[in-house]
Amino acid sequence: MNVRGKTILVTGAGRGIGRSLATHFAGKGANLALLDVNADDVNETRARCTQLGVTARSYLADAANEDSVVGALGRVMEDFGALDGLINNAGIVRDGMLIKVKDGQVVGKMSLAQWQAVIDTNLTGVFLCAREAAQHMISRNVSRAGNAGQTNYSAAKAGVAAMTVVWAKELARYGIRVGAVAPGFIRTPMVEAMKPEALAKMTSPIPLGRLGEPDEIAHAVGFIFENDLFTGRCVEVDAGLRL
């Protein structure tokens, strides 16, 4: 698909990978609907996109809240009149060991709140945004291996990978393709805020020896949009370190 003049919706567009996704597609001439929970961040992304000569609008929405998603997608359709693509980027981390043991004693465990927050945003949020986007698109005719301390995150990512396959089969009849990208460790503001020693430990096992850049993930997403034969698959962009 040639994205020039098309309307692309990006969730979690306020910073990091989401901002790079937005500016990448703006640079290709796409119009952007930008969703985030942080007004200052998403407005800054909108400003960067409009500087590239495209139409960009920002919307405050919580991907984990059904009413918020439904309302935001309704406003997007009112403003743009059509929706040609969705990038389900919004996600959070609430890391914690399933069971934390010190000196032979159980000293902690992942809380239900940690589990639910990640599942609500990273899995249910993907479902809600995809459902609403697909509904509008049809009506207008248009890490799986897992890391220690990330039971919730890994479960959500595995769910997204599975939904990608199912949705590709269900939506192909409407001309809608579905793809996913599984990033490795990416140089986002959250990662850069880590202590140097923790960052070095995280980087050391990566075969390519470095963090990924948000723009590199944006290029991978761009490939999915531009290759009309691609659907139902997950592209792993992780510098050789499977997460």
Side-chain angles (χ1 to χ4, degrees), residues 9-238:
L9 170 65
V10 182
T11 70
R15 56 194 301 192
I17 294 174
R19 178 171 289 172
S20 285
L21 287 165
T23 55
H24 174 87
F25 281 92
K28 290 182 174 291
N31 298 315
L32 281 305
L34 307 168
L35 271 66
D36 204 278
V37 294
N38 186 295
D40 291 339
D41 286 347
V42 74
N43 286 334
E44 172 62 24
T45 301
R46 176 186 54 76
R48 296 190 186 194
C49 290
T50 56
Q51 288 173 0
L52 294 172
V54 301
T55 299
R57 296 180 183 275
S58 56
Y59 305 85
L60 287 181
D62 179 1
N65 182 285
E66 183 173 25
D67 291 340
S68 182
V69 171
V70 171
L73 268 291
R75 294 192 297 275
V76 169
M77 294 303 295
E78 290 175 2
D79 291 339
F80 288 94
L83 181 61
D84 301 292
L86 163 69
I87 304 176
N88 249 324
N89 170 72
I92 63 172
V93 292
R94 297 289 186 272
D95 289 357
M97 300 298 289
L98 182 67
I99 300 295
K100 185 177 181 180
V101 179
K102 183 177 181 180
D103 299 327
Q105 300 293 320
V106 174
V107 296
K109 55 188 177 182
M110 178 177 283
S111 69
L112 179 59
Q114 286 173 294
W115 166 271
Q116 200 65 59
V118 171
I119 296 300
D120 285 349
T121 298
N122 296 23
L123 186 59
T124 303
V126 170
F127 157 74
L128 288 172
C129 293
R131 185 193 68 184
E132 293 305 303
Q135 175 185 330
H136 289 299
M137 291 166 73
I138 291 170
S139 66
R140 302 292 296 193
N141 295 316
V142 285
S143 70
R144 293 173 291 176
N147 287 333
Q150 291 194 326
T151 298
N152 47 9
Y153 190 84
S154 298
K157 290 303 180 184
V160 170
M163 290 191 300
T164 297
V165 177
V166 174
W167 292 345
K169 295 176 180 178
E170 290 184 357
L171 299 174
R173 71 191 71 178
Y174 305 110
I176 297 174
R177 297 183 295 108
V178 184
V181 172
F185 291 121
I186 307 300
R187 193 185 307 279
T188 62
M190 180 176 61
V191 170
E192 289 186 317
M194 297 174 63
K195 295 180 179 179
E197 58 272 21
L199 188 58
K201 183 178 180 181
M202 183 177 75
T203 306
S204 62
I206 299 175
L208 290 185
R210 67 173 179 86
L211 298 175
E213 300 295 336
D215 286 350
E216 292 173 315
I217 303 304
H219 278 97
V221 176
F223 162 77
I224 293 174
F225 270 81
E226 293 168 6
N227 190 323
D228 289 331
L229 192 62
F230 188 96
T231 194
R233 295 291 181 264
C234 180
V235 179
E236 296 181 356
V237 188
D238 53 17

